[in-house]
């Protein structure tokens, strides 16, 4: 340790605590994180089960809470020059 090295202040360290992570298929697990506060839940919209990097290039959209349905009903008729 260097002569002039000072100990880190307690406020400089992140607050790690336990949170629950919910995957798109409903799978849940508990992990430590700096996200939110103790006991919070992190709901994932994209995870290794749905992301194209892990599924072979095709993204599977999970319609959680009707978001995809609402988007398609509002903007499904738009054409962006694709034929």
């Amino acid at each position: 340790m260097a002569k002039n090295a000072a100990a880190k202040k307690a406020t400089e360290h992140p607050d790690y605590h336990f949170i629950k992570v919910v995957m798109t298929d409903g799978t849940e697990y508990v992990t430590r994180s700096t996200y939110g506060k103790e006991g919070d839940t992190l709901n994932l919209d994209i995870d290794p089960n749905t992301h194209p990097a892990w599924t072979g290039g095709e993204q599977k959209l999970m319609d959680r809470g009707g978001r995809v349905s609402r988007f398609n009903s509002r903007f499904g008729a738009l054409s962006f020059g694709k034929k």
Side-chain angles (χ1 to χ4, degrees):
M1 192 169 184
K3 266 187 184 179
N4 297 332
K8 283 194 171 255
K9 295 179 185 177
T11 58
E12 292 180 15
H13 295 282
D15 176 31
Y16 284 109
H17 45 269
F18 288 98
I19 64 164
K20 179 170 66 172
V21 178
V22 180
M23 307 282 271
T24 57
D25 65 356
T27 306
E28 300 177 356
Y29 66 93
V30 177
T31 188
R32 290 178 52 121
S33 176
T34 58
Y35 171 81
K37 58 186 181 295
E38 180 81 27
D40 279 354
T41 300
L42 175 63
N43 293 303
L44 300 178
D45 290 328
I46 297 176
D47 64 19
N49 296 326
T50 59
H51 195 278
W54 290 283
T55 60
E58 190 172 312
Q59 185 174 7
K60 302 174 204 163
L61 293 175
M62 304 294 284
D63 193 2
R64 294 177 42 165
R67 292 183 205 150
V68 175
S69 299
R70 280 196 314 263
F71 179 86
N72 287 337
S73 67
R74 290 175 110 185
F75 304 108
L78 292 179
S79 174
F80 296 103
K82 294 182 181 178
K83 293 183 181 181

